[in-house]
Amino acid sequence: MRLTVIGTGYVGLVHAACMADLGHTVLGVDRDADRIESLARGRAPFFEPGLRELLHRTLQSGRLQFTTSLAAAARFARTHFVCVGTPQRPGSNAADLRFVDAALDELAPALRDLGGWCLVVGKSTVPVGTAARLERRLHKVAPQAEIAWNPEFLREGFAVRDTLRPERLVAGVSSPRADATLREMYAPLLRAGTPFICTDPATAELVKLAANSFLATKISFINAMAELCDAMGADVMPLVEAVGRDPRIGSRCLQPGLGFGGSCLPKDIRGLVAHAEEQGLGESVAFLREVDEINTRQRRRTIALARQLAGGSFRRRHVAVLGAAFKPGIDDVRDSPALAVAAGIHHLGGRVRVHDPEAVDNARACFPDLEFALDVPKACEGADVVLHLTGWPEYRAIDPAGLSTVVRRQAILDARHTLDAARWRSAGWAFRAFGRPRLGW
C-alpha cells in the first residue's frame, strides 16, 4: 500500500520507517526543510536503538521518501497518518492541539481537489472527542474524507520493536471501509498474531490516555510504598516481589525509584484530568492529581536525600549526577527527573557535573548552567556525593573500588534501584536507595 506520515518526530519517523520496512511505500512529511533534508540522507534527529539502521535500509529500498509538501502527500496516497505533537498547552494542563488542527487544515484543500474517498488516521495523543471534531472540520472542505484514530503505544528506547512487534493494535473507525484499510495496512502484524481491537474513535482516543494513566498510577503507588518503607523500617524490594507475584497486580513496572518523566506520562495524565474537569467529571480522576504529586515529590525527596549524603548542605559541595535522559536507551531529556534534580541541586548552591552516554548535548542545550562530563570518572572527580539517576547498563558496570579513588567522599544514592548495594558497600561506600533503610549508611 501507499501511505503518508505527516510529522517526522518520534512517533511519525518511527512509524514511517517501520511501515516501509513492512513493505509499504511511504512518504514522510514535515514543514522543517532542514529536517527533511537530513532525513533524506539517513540522519535521524534523535537517538533510538535500531532506527538509524532501519532508516538507511528503507531509504535504500526506495520505499521511504520525504517531502515538505502536504499537497504532494495528498497526491501520493489515499491513507494519511497524522503524527504531529500534542504538547501541554502553555499556562494549562490541557493538550495543545494547534499542530493537529494545522495539519488537517493544510491537508484538507488538497484532498478536496483530488476528490474520491480517503482516510486520515490520527496517531497523536488527544482528548476524547478530537476525532469527531476534526471530522466535522474536515468535511466542511473535503466531505469525501474520513477520520479514524489509531493510537500509538511506543516506549522510547523500544519504539522500533514496539511498532514491528506490538502487544496490540487499536483502531477507532466509523466505517467498514476504514476498518478494512487499516487491517490491510497492518496485515503482516496481524498474520504474526498481533491482537487487533476495533472500536469507535472516542474509545480509541481514551485507550491511550487510560493506559498511560494506569502506568503512571502503578509507578507512583510503589514510590509511595517506598516512602512508607523508609519511615517504617521496611524493605521495598521484597515488598515488590511479594506484591508483584499476585497475578491480579503483576510485577511489571512495579519498580520504585525517581519516578517517570518524558513527553508522554506527565502531560497525558494532566491532560486527562483537565479534559475530565471540562466535562464536569473532575472527581472521577481526582486521584491522578495525587499520582502526579507523588511523582513530583520523588524529585524533592531525591534532593533531600542527596543533601543528607553530602553532609547536610550543598554549599561548597560537588555533586556527580549519573544520567540526564529521562530513561536509559535514548537521548530525550524532556521533563527528565534526573535533570530536574540536577538543576534543583545547582539552585541550592551545589556544583553539579552530569554524565550521560547519549544525552549530554541535549541536556547542555536545556541546562547550560550545569557542568557536563564525557566519562564517569571525570563526572565524579572530587565528588562529595554521587547520584545514580538514569538506569543505563553502563552504570551497573562501574567498579566501586576504582571510582572511590577519584571522589572526595564515598557516598552514593541509587535512585533507580539497579546497582548492586552489597558490592558498593563492600568497597567502602555509604549507599542509599529509596525504601531500603536496612541498607544503612
Side-chain angles (χ1 to χ4, degrees):
M1 294 181 66
R2 294 167 69 89
L3 63 118
T4 72
V5 176
I6 301 168
T8 60
Y10 225 104
V11 174
L13 181 56
V14 172
H15 185 67
C18 287
M19 291 301 100
D21 200 50
L22 291 176
H24 301 301
T25 304
V26 183
L27 182 63
V29 189
D30 202 292
R31 287 179 171 179
D32 188 334
D34 291 338
R35 170 171 288 201
I36 289 299
E37 182 180 358
S38 181
L39 288 172
R41 295 178 179 177
R43 299 173 185 169
F46 50 83
F47 174 73
E48 175 67 31
L51 179 60
R52 180 181 179 184
E53 297 79 6
L54 185 63
L55 185 58
H56 287 170
R57 185 165 67 247
T58 51
L59 284 169
Q60 290 173 2
S61 72
R63 291 193 301 271
L64 179 61
Q65 304 170 46
F66 294 98
T67 183
T68 58
S69 172
L70 274 174
R75 294 190 298 269
F76 184 83
R78 291 292 180 179
T79 304
H80 310 279
F81 285 86
V82 177
C83 303
V84 297
T86 52
Q88 192 169 311
R89 189 185 305 164
S92 169
N93 285 334
D96 187 345
L97 302 179
R98 288 178 299 165
F99 304 110
V100 175
D101 289 349
L104 263 290
D105 289 346
E106 189 173 343
L107 180 63
L111 297 179
R112 176 199 59 205
D113 295 343
L114 288 171
W117 183 85
C118 58
L119 183 64
V120 179
V121 186
K123 291 191 75 69
S124 306
T125 303
V126 295
V128 178
T130 300
R133 179 182 66 81
L134 290 176
E135 187 159 74
R136 292 192 297 270
R137 188 172 182 143
L138 185 61
H139 281 175
K140 292 178 181 179
V141 180
Q144 82 285 5
E146 185 174 345
I147 293 278
W149 221 260
N150 173 217
E152 51 83 19
F153 300 98
L154 306 185
R155 298 168 298 163
E156 290 193 39
F158 302 90
V160 172
R161 188 175 77 181
D162 288 347
T163 303
L164 295 176
R165 296 192 296 277
E167 294 176 341
R168 78 286 205 194
L169 290 165
V170 176
V173 300
S174 302
S175 74
R177 189 171 184 180
D179 178 32
T181 298
L182 288 174
R183 288 181 186 274
E184 182 180 357
M185 185 77 60
Y186 291 120
L189 305 182
L190 301 186
R191 287 194 295 269
T194 300
F196 187 88
I197 302 167
C198 185
T199 182
D200 58 275
T203 303
E205 292 166 331
L206 186 56
V207 164
K208 175 63 184 293
L209 295 169
N212 277 354
S213 295
F214 187 84
L215 175 57
T217 300
K218 197 170 185 179
I219 296 170
S220 284
F221 168 80
I222 201 58
N223 279 335
M225 293 302 101
E227 191 169 356
L228 293 183
C229 286
D230 279 330
M232 299 176 180
D235 191 333
V236 73
M237 296 314 287
L239 182 147
V240 166
E241 182 179 6
V243 172
R245 288 188 179 275
D246 187 327
R248 298 169 301 174
I249 299 172
S251 60
R252 190 174 180 184
C253 297
L254 205 64
Q255 178 68 30
L258 182 49
F260 55 82
S263 63
C264 290
L265 293 190
K267 80 172 182 68
D268 286 356
I269 62 174
R270 295 166 191 163
L272 181 57
V273 170
H275 187 55
E277 289 175 343
E278 290 173 357
Q279 305 299 313
L281 299 170
E283 291 185 3
S284 300
V285 293
F287 72 96
L288 289 177
R289 289 193 176 277
E290 187 59 30
V291 166
D292 195 12
E293 169 54 27
I294 291 170
N295 189 62
T296 302
R297 188 162 68 244
Q298 284 300 102
R299 305 178 187 192
R300 299 195 297 269
R301 291 188 68 215
T302 301
I303 293 173
L305 285 172
R307 182 163 42 201
Q308 291 179 25
L309 282 169
S313 172
F314 290 123
R315 296 291 178 183
R316 296 184 296 278
R317 296 292 191 271
H318 173 202
V319 180
V321 170
L322 302 183
F326 81 85
K327 62 183 289 189
I330 60 173
D331 63 355
D332 194 343
V333 299
R334 289 175 291 180
D335 197 14
S336 166
L339 284 180
V341 169
I345 292 173
H346 173 77
H347 180 71
L348 293 172
R351 180 184 176 187
V352 182
R353 191 178 295 145
V354 182
H355 172 269
D356 191 282
E358 294 289 344
V360 164
D361 289 343
N362 288 342
R364 183 183 286 112
C366 294
F367 294 90
D369 292 337
L370 299 178
E371 296 181 36
F372 295 90
L374 297 180
D375 60 64
V376 171
K378 185 63 178 177
C380 297
E381 189 176 289
D384 295 285
V385 61
V386 177
L387 308 183
H388 174 232
L389 304 186
T390 306
W392 286 93
E394 291 91 330
Y395 298 149
R396 294 197 293 272
I398 292 173
D399 175 19
L403 197 64
S404 66
T405 64
V406 302
V407 298
R408 181 183 301 164
R409 190 165 181 263
Q410 289 177 265
I412 186 167
L413 169 58
D414 178 14
R416 291 301 182 183
H417 286 275
T418 61
L419 303 181
D420 185 336
R423 185 165 169 250
W424 284 83
R425 293 185 70 197
S426 67
W429 286 75
F431 188 98
R432 186 67 193 269
F434 293 121
R436 308 209 72 188
R438 293 183 185 180
L439 291 176
W441 295 89

mmCIF file of all heavy atoms in Angstrom, residues 135-170:
data_model
loop_
_atom_site.group_PDB
_atom_site.id
_atom_site.type_symbol
_atom_site.label_atom_id
_atom_site.label_comp_id
_atom_site.label_asym_id
_atom_site.label_seq_id
_atom_site.Cartn_x
_atom_site.Cartn_y
_atom_site.Cartn_z
ATOM 1 N N GLU A 135 -13.267 15.591 12.173
ATOM 2 C CA GLU A 135 -14.019 15.128 11.006
ATOM 3 C C GLU A 135 -15.035 16.179 10.561
ATOM 4 O O GLU A 135 -15.216 16.421 9.357
ATOM 5 C CB GLU A 135 -14.709 13.801 11.302
ATOM 6 C CG GLU A 135 -15.367 13.195 10.064
ATOM 7 C CD GLU A 135 -15.603 11.708 10.202
ATOM 8 O OE1 GLU A 135 -16.534 11.328 10.939
ATOM 9 O OE2 GLU A 135 -14.868 10.939 9.566
ATOM 10 N N ARG A 136 -15.695 16.821 11.528
ATOM 11 C CA ARG A 136 -16.624 17.904 11.169
ATOM 12 C C ARG A 136 -15.868 19.026 10.470
ATOM 13 O O ARG A 136 -16.360 19.586 9.475
ATOM 14 C CB ARG A 136 -17.337 18.431 12.425
ATOM 15 C CG ARG A 136 -18.307 17.448 13.066
ATOM 16 C CD ARG A 136 -19.171 18.127 14.115
ATOM 17 N NE ARG A 136 -18.391 18.642 15.234
ATOM 18 C CZ ARG A 136 -18.099 17.949 16.335
ATOM 19 N NH1 ARG A 136 -18.523 16.685 16.458
ATOM 20 N NH2 ARG A 136 -17.402 18.485 17.314
ATOM 21 N N ARG A 137 -14.706 19.342 10.983
ATOM 22 C CA ARG A 137 -13.880 20.401 10.391
ATOM 23 C C ARG A 137 -13.411 20.014 8.992
ATOM 24 O O ARG A 137 -13.426 20.821 8.063
ATOM 25 C CB ARG A 137 -12.679 20.640 11.318
ATOM 26 C CG ARG A 137 -11.809 21.821 10.993
ATOM 27 C CD ARG A 137 -10.796 21.998 12.124
ATOM 28 N NE ARG A 137 -9.922 23.142 11.942
ATOM 29 C CZ ARG A 137 -9.498 23.925 12.925
ATOM 30 N NH1 ARG A 137 -9.883 23.684 14.158
ATOM 31 N NH2 ARG A 137 -8.686 24.937 12.686
ATOM 32 N N LEU A 138 -13.017 18.758 8.826
ATOM 33 C CA LEU A 138 -12.533 18.274 7.535
ATOM 34 C C LEU A 138 -13.655 18.231 6.509
ATOM 35 O O LEU A 138 -13.460 18.581 5.333
ATOM 36 C CB LEU A 138 -11.916 16.887 7.720
ATOM 37 C CG LEU A 138 -11.248 16.232 6.514
ATOM 38 C CD1 LEU A 138 -10.087 17.073 5.999
ATOM 39 C CD2 LEU A 138 -10.759 14.832 6.885
ATOM 40 N N HIS A 139 -14.846 17.823 6.931
ATOM 41 C CA HIS A 139 -15.964 17.671 5.992
ATOM 42 C C HIS A 139 -16.432 19.000 5.402
ATOM 43 O O HIS A 139 -17.068 19.017 4.336
ATOM 44 C CB HIS A 139 -17.129 16.959 6.673
ATOM 45 C CG HIS A 139 -16.931 15.489 6.759
ATOM 46 N ND1 HIS A 139 -17.802 14.646 7.428
ATOM 47 C CD2 HIS A 139 -15.956 14.688 6.254
ATOM 48 C CE1 HIS A 139 -17.369 13.400 7.321
ATOM 49 N NE2 HIS A 139 -16.255 13.405 6.621
ATOM 50 N N LYS A 140 -16.140 20.092 6.088
ATOM 51 C CA LYS A 140 -16.513 21.384 5.535
ATOM 52 C C LYS A 140 -15.741 21.689 4.258
ATOM 53 O O LYS A 140 -16.198 22.461 3.410
ATOM 54 C CB LYS A 140 -16.252 22.489 6.565
ATOM 55 C CG LYS A 140 -17.169 22.425 7.785
ATOM 56 C CD LYS A 140 -16.821 23.532 8.777
ATOM 57 C CE LYS A 140 -17.724 23.463 10.006
ATOM 58 N NZ LYS A 140 -17.382 24.514 11.004
ATOM 59 N N VAL A 141 -14.576 21.094 4.117
ATOM 60 C CA VAL A 141 -13.721 21.328 2.951
ATOM 61 C C VAL A 141 -13.661 20.118 2.041
ATOM 62 O O VAL A 141 -13.756 20.231 0.812
ATOM 63 C CB VAL A 141 -12.289 21.714 3.408
ATOM 64 C CG1 VAL A 141 -11.390 21.973 2.207
ATOM 65 C CG2 VAL A 141 -12.318 22.922 4.331
ATOM 66 N N ALA A 142 -13.503 18.943 2.645
ATOM 67 C CA ALA A 142 -13.356 17.696 1.878
ATOM 68 C C ALA A 142 -14.346 16.664 2.406
ATOM 69 O O ALA A 142 -13.984 15.806 3.214
ATOM 70 C CB ALA A 142 -11.919 17.180 1.984
ATOM 71 N N PRO A 143 -15.596 16.742 1.990
ATOM 72 C CA PRO A 143 -16.636 15.863 2.557
ATOM 73 C C PRO A 143 -16.429 14.387 2.272
ATOM 74 O O PRO A 143 -17.033 13.541 2.936
ATOM 75 C CB PRO A 143 -17.924 16.387 1.898
ATOM 76 C CG PRO A 143 -17.473 17.108 0.681
ATOM 77 C CD PRO A 143 -16.149 17.697 1.004
ATOM 78 N N GLN A 144 -15.582 14.046 1.307
ATOM 79 C CA GLN A 144 -15.362 12.639 0.981
ATOM 80 C C GLN A 144 -14.333 11.983 1.895
ATOM 81 O O GLN A 144 -14.143 10.766 1.872
ATOM 82 C CB GLN A 144 -14.901 12.500 -0.478
ATOM 83 C CG GLN A 144 -13.407 12.732 -0.735
ATOM 84 C CD GLN A 144 -12.996 14.209 -0.692
ATOM 85 O OE1 GLN A 144 -13.796 15.079 -0.384
ATOM 86 N NE2 GLN A 144 -11.748 14.488 -1.018
ATOM 87 N N ALA A 145 -13.644 12.790 2.715
ATOM 88 C CA ALA A 145 -12.586 12.260 3.580
ATOM 89 C C ALA A 145 -13.177 11.705 4.874
ATOM 90 O O ALA A 145 -14.221 12.169 5.356
ATOM 91 C CB ALA A 145 -11.570 13.346 3.884
ATOM 92 N N GLU A 146 -12.506 10.734 5.449
ATOM 93 C CA GLU A 146 -12.944 10.095 6.682
ATOM 94 C C GLU A 146 -11.804 10.126 7.700
ATOM 95 O O GLU A 146 -10.634 10.052 7.338
ATOM 96 C CB GLU A 146 -13.360 8.646 6.406
ATOM 97 C CG GLU A 146 -13.938 7.926 7.622
ATOM 98 C CD GLU A 146 -14.467 6.546 7.279
ATOM 99 O OE1 GLU A 146 -14.641 6.251 6.081
ATOM 100 O OE2 GLU A 146 -14.701 5.759 8.221
ATOM 101 N N ILE A 147 -12.186 10.246 8.972
ATOM 102 C CA ILE A 147 -11.208 10.267 10.062
ATOM 103 C C ILE A 147 -11.276 8.951 10.831
ATOM 104 O O ILE A 147 -12.363 8.440 11.124
ATOM 105 C CB ILE A 147 -11.482 11.427 11.036
ATOM 106 C CG1 ILE A 147 -11.230 12.780 10.358
ATOM 107 C CG2 ILE A 147 -10.630 11.281 12.299
ATOM 108 C CD1 ILE A 147 -9.794 13.210 10.324
ATOM 109 N N ALA A 148 -10.116 8.399 11.170
ATOM 110 C CA ALA A 148 -10.014 7.261 12.074
ATOM 111 C C ALA A 148 -8.934 7.591 13.101
ATOM 112 O O ALA A 148 -8.158 8.526 12.922
ATOM 113 C CB ALA A 148 -9.659 5.990 11.308
ATOM 114 N N TRP A 149 -8.905 6.813 14.210
ATOM 115 C CA TRP A 149 -7.867 7.046 15.210
ATOM 116 C C TRP A 149 -7.177 5.740 15.557
ATOM 117 O O TRP A 149 -7.822 4.732 15.817
ATOM 118 C CB TRP A 149 -8.432 7.704 16.469
ATOM 119 C CG TRP A 149 -7.483 8.757 16.954
ATOM 120 C CD1 TRP A 149 -6.574 8.661 17.956
ATOM 121 C CD2 TRP A 149 -7.329 10.066 16.387
ATOM 122 N NE1 TRP A 149 -5.847 9.828 18.057
ATOM 123 C CE2 TRP A 149 -6.294 10.705 17.109
ATOM 124 C CE3 TRP A 149 -7.956 10.753 15.349
ATOM 125 C CZ2 TRP A 149 -5.879 12.010 16.822
ATOM 126 C CZ3 TRP A 149 -7.542 12.039 15.072
ATOM 127 C CH2 TRP A 149 -6.527 12.664 15.794
ATOM 128 N N ASN A 150 -5.851 5.799 15.516
ATOM 129 C CA ASN A 150 -5.018 4.604 15.693
ATOM 130 C C ASN A 150 -3.884 4.960 16.664
ATOM 131 O O ASN A 150 -2.771 5.231 16.250
ATOM 132 C CB ASN A 150 -4.475 4.165 14.326
ATOM 133 C CG ASN A 150 -3.471 3.048 14.382
ATOM 134 O OD1 ASN A 150 -2.512 3.044 13.614
ATOM 135 N ND2 ASN A 150 -3.650 2.076 15.260
ATOM 136 N N PRO A 151 -4.165 4.984 17.976
ATOM 137 C CA PRO A 151 -3.162 5.452 18.939
ATOM 138 C C PRO A 151 -1.904 4.598 18.934
ATOM 139 O O PRO A 151 -1.937 3.404 18.653
ATOM 140 C CB PRO A 151 -3.893 5.350 20.280
ATOM 141 C CG PRO A 151 -4.957 4.320 20.059
ATOM 142 C CD PRO A 151 -5.387 4.499 18.640
ATOM 143 N N GLU A 152 -0.781 5.255 19.256
ATOM 144 C CA GLU A 152 0.487 4.529 19.355
ATOM 145 C C GLU A 152 0.756 4.201 20.824
ATOM 146 O O GLU A 152 0.306 4.896 21.727
ATOM 147 C CB GLU A 152 1.628 5.366 18.763
ATOM 148 C CG GLU A 152 1.740 6.785 19.278
ATOM 149 C CD GLU A 152 2.487 6.896 20.591
ATOM 150 O OE1 GLU A 152 3.224 5.940 20.922
ATOM 151 O OE2 GLU A 152 2.331 7.912 21.272
ATOM 152 N N PHE A 153 1.514 3.120 21.031
ATOM 153 C CA PHE A 153 1.874 2.697 22.383
ATOM 154 C C PHE A 153 3.383 2.455 22.458
ATOM 155 O O PHE A 153 3.845 1.441 22.986
ATOM 156 C CB PHE A 153 1.106 1.428 22.761
ATOM 157 C CG PHE A 153 -0.385 1.590 22.733
ATOM 158 C CD1 PHE A 153 -1.119 1.188 21.633
ATOM 159 C CD2 PHE A 153 -1.060 2.185 23.792
ATOM 160 C CE1 PHE A 153 -2.494 1.341 21.587
ATOM 161 C CE2 PHE A 153 -2.439 2.350 23.753
ATOM 162 C CZ PHE A 153 -3.163 1.925 22.651
ATOM 163 N N LEU A 154 4.140 3.378 21.899
ATOM 164 C CA LEU A 154 5.585 3.210 21.821
ATOM 165 C C LEU A 154 6.244 3.569 23.150
ATOM 166 O O LEU A 154 5.873 4.537 23.803
ATOM 167 C CB LEU A 154 6.171 4.115 20.730
ATOM 168 C CG LEU A 154 5.580 4.014 19.332
ATOM 169 C CD1 LEU A 154 6.368 4.896 18.390
ATOM 170 C CD2 LEU A 154 5.581 2.577 18.853
ATOM 171 N N ARG A 155 7.242 2.781 23.501
ATOM 172 C CA ARG A 155 8.120 3.125 24.613
ATOM 173 C C ARG A 155 9.434 3.626 24.029
ATOM 174 O O ARG A 155 10.057 2.919 23.231
ATOM 175 C CB ARG A 155 8.396 1.898 25.484
ATOM 176 C CG ARG A 155 7.155 1.293 26.139
ATOM 177 C CD ARG A 155 7.497 -0.066 26.712
ATOM 178 N NE ARG A 155 7.914 -0.998 25.651
ATOM 179 C CZ ARG A 155 8.569 -2.135 25.879
ATOM 180 N NH1 ARG A 155 8.911 -2.473 27.105
ATOM 181 N NH2 ARG A 155 8.889 -2.929 24.869
ATOM 182 N N GLU A 156 9.811 4.840 24.397
ATOM 183 C CA GLU A 156 11.094 5.334 23.905
ATOM 184 C C GLU A 156 12.197 4.379 24.371
ATOM 185 O O GLU A 156 12.208 3.932 25.513
ATOM 186 C CB GLU A 156 11.353 6.751 24.421
ATOM 187 C CG GLU A 156 10.439 7.786 23.784
ATOM 188 C CD GLU A 156 10.896 9.201 24.061
ATOM 189 O OE1 GLU A 156 12.120 9.447 24.048
ATOM 190 O OE2 GLU A 156 10.032 10.064 24.301
ATOM 191 N N GLY A 157 13.094 4.097 23.463
ATOM 192 C CA GLY A 157 14.121 3.093 23.717
ATOM 193 C C GLY A 157 13.747 1.729 23.159
ATOM 194 O O GLY A 157 14.602 0.874 22.961
ATOM 195 N N PHE A 158 12.445 1.539 22.899
ATOM 196 C CA PHE A 158 11.946 0.290 22.323
ATOM 197 C C PHE A 158 10.959 0.566 21.196
ATOM 198 O O PHE A 158 10.152 -0.283 20.838
ATOM 199 C CB PHE A 158 11.236 -0.557 23.400
ATOM 200 C CG PHE A 158 12.101 -0.906 24.569
ATOM 201 C CD1 PHE A 158 12.156 -0.077 25.678
ATOM 202 C CD2 PHE A 158 12.877 -2.056 24.563
ATOM 203 C CE1 PHE A 158 12.963 -0.382 26.766
ATOM 204 C CE2 PHE A 158 13.687 -2.376 25.645
ATOM 205 C CZ PHE A 158 13.729 -1.540 26.746
ATOM 206 N N ALA A 159 11.022 1.779 20.621
ATOM 207 C CA ALA A 159 9.988 2.231 19.689
ATOM 208 C C ALA A 159 9.924 1.380 18.426
ATOM 209 O O ALA A 159 8.838 1.063 17.930
ATOM 210 C CB ALA A 159 10.211 3.695 19.328
ATOM 211 N N VAL A 160 11.089 1.020 17.875
ATOM 212 C CA VAL A 160 11.093 0.204 16.661
ATOM 213 C C VAL A 160 10.495 -1.168 16.950
ATOM 214 O O VAL A 160 9.640 -1.659 16.203
ATOM 215 C CB VAL A 160 12.530 0.081 16.104
ATOM 216 C CG1 VAL A 160 12.575 -0.927 14.955
ATOM 217 C CG2 VAL A 160 13.028 1.443 15.631
ATOM 218 N N ARG A 161 10.931 -1.769 18.022
ATOM 219 C CA ARG A 161 10.405 -3.088 18.386
ATOM 220 C C ARG A 161 8.911 -3.027 18.682
ATOM 221 O O ARG A 161 8.150 -3.917 18.284
ATOM 222 C CB ARG A 161 11.151 -3.633 19.611
ATOM 223 C CG ARG A 161 10.804 -5.077 19.938
ATOM 224 C CD ARG A 161 11.646 -5.598 21.067
ATOM 225 N NE ARG A 161 11.200 -5.112 22.371
ATOM 226 C CZ ARG A 161 11.800 -5.425 23.519
ATOM 227 N NH1 ARG A 161 12.901 -6.163 23.506
ATOM 228 N NH2 ARG A 161 11.338 -4.973 24.664
ATOM 229 N N ASP A 162 8.470 -1.987 19.377
ATOM 230 C CA ASP A 162 7.055 -1.871 19.715
ATOM 231 C C ASP A 162 6.191 -1.655 18.482
ATOM 232 O O ASP A 162 5.003 -1.995 18.489
ATOM 233 C CB ASP A 162 6.838 -0.718 20.697
ATOM 234 C CG ASP A 162 7.345 -1.035 22.096
ATOM 235 O OD1 ASP A 162 7.630 -2.222 22.369
ATOM 236 O OD2 ASP A 162 7.469 -0.105 22.912
ATOM 237 N N THR A 163 6.755 -1.082 17.421
ATOM 238 C CA THR A 163 5.992 -0.881 16.188
ATOM 239 C C THR A 163 5.948 -2.145 15.343
ATOM 240 O O THR A 163 4.902 -2.472 14.772
ATOM 241 C CB THR A 163 6.605 0.267 15.360
ATOM 242 O OG1 THR A 163 6.650 1.460 16.162
ATOM 243 C CG2 THR A 163 5.771 0.554 14.117
ATOM 244 N N LEU A 164 7.056 -2.854 15.269
ATOM 245 C CA LEU A 164 7.124 -4.055 14.432
ATOM 246 C C LEU A 164 6.595 -5.297 15.148
ATOM 247 O O LEU A 164 6.189 -6.262 14.492
ATOM 248 C CB LEU A 164 8.564 -4.297 13.977
ATOM 249 C CG LEU A 164 9.137 -3.224 13.051
ATOM 250 C CD1 LEU A 164 10.597 -3.513 12.740
ATOM 251 C CD2 LEU A 164 8.325 -3.122 11.760
ATOM 252 N N ARG A 165 6.577 -5.263 16.492
ATOM 253 C CA ARG A 165 6.037 -6.383 17.255
ATOM 254 C C ARG A 165 5.173 -5.855 18.390
ATOM 255 O O ARG A 165 5.473 -6.059 19.579
ATOM 256 C CB ARG A 165 7.171 -7.264 17.798
ATOM 257 C CG ARG A 165 7.989 -7.942 16.724
ATOM 258 C CD ARG A 165 8.896 -9.031 17.293
ATOM 259 N NE ARG A 165 9.897 -8.491 18.202
ATOM 260 C CZ ARG A 165 11.054 -7.956 17.808
ATOM 261 N NH1 ARG A 165 11.349 -7.888 16.522
ATOM 262 N NH2 ARG A 165 11.915 -7.501 18.696
ATOM 263 N N PRO A 166 4.077 -5.183 18.050
ATOM 264 C CA PRO A 166 3.263 -4.541 19.086
ATOM 265 C C PRO A 166 2.480 -5.551 19.922
ATOM 266 O O PRO A 166 2.186 -6.659 19.468
ATOM 267 C CB PRO A 166 2.310 -3.647 18.277
ATOM 268 C CG PRO A 166 2.175 -4.345 16.961
ATOM 269 C CD PRO A 166 3.523 -4.956 16.694
ATOM 270 N N GLU A 167 2.161 -5.150 21.139
ATOM 271 C CA GLU A 167 1.347 -6.004 22.003
ATOM 272 C C GLU A 167 -0.116 -5.986 21.573
ATOM 273 O O GLU A 167 -0.842 -6.952 21.815
ATOM 274 C CB GLU A 167 1.470 -5.540 23.452
ATOM 275 C CG GLU A 167 2.876 -5.722 24.013
ATOM 276 C CD GLU A 167 3.010 -5.170 25.406
ATOM 277 O OE1 GLU A 167 2.156 -4.338 25.812
ATOM 278 O OE2 GLU A 167 3.961 -5.556 26.110
ATOM 279 N N ARG A 168 -0.544 -4.917 20.940
ATOM 280 C CA ARG A 168 -1.910 -4.822 20.401
ATOM 281 C C ARG A 168 -1.977 -3.656 19.442
ATOM 282 O O ARG A 168 -1.155 -2.734 19.496
ATOM 283 C CB ARG A 168 -2.962 -4.670 21.495
ATOM 284 C CG ARG A 168 -3.109 -3.272 22.118
ATOM 285 C CD ARG A 168 -1.994 -2.930 23.027
ATOM 286 N NE ARG A 168 -2.341 -1.934 24.036
ATOM 287 C CZ ARG A 168 -1.431 -1.303 24.750
ATOM 288 N NH1 ARG A 168 -0.137 -1.524 24.574
ATOM 289 N NH2 ARG A 168 -1.792 -0.421 25.677
ATOM 290 N N LEU A 169 -2.960 -3.678 18.568
ATOM 291 C CA LEU A 169 -3.277 -2.571 17.683
ATOM 292 C C LEU A 169 -4.698 -2.135 17.985
ATOM 293 O O LEU A 169 -5.601 -2.979 18.099
ATOM 294 C CB LEU A 169 -3.149 -2.981 16.216
ATOM 295 C CG LEU A 169 -1.741 -3.239 15.699
ATOM 296 C CD1 LEU A 169 -1.784 -3.988 14.368
ATOM 297 C CD2 LEU A 169 -0.979 -1.931 15.540
ATOM 298 N N VAL A 170 -4.904 -0.847 18.111
ATOM 299 C CA VAL A 170 -6.232 -0.301 18.399
ATOM 300 C C VAL A 170 -6.629 0.615 17.252
ATOM 301 O O VAL A 170 -5.866 1.507 16.879
ATOM 302 C CB VAL A 170 -6.253 0.462 19.730
ATOM 303 C CG1 VAL A 170 -7.621 1.099 19.967
ATOM 304 C CG2 VAL A 170 -5.884 -0.461 20.882
#
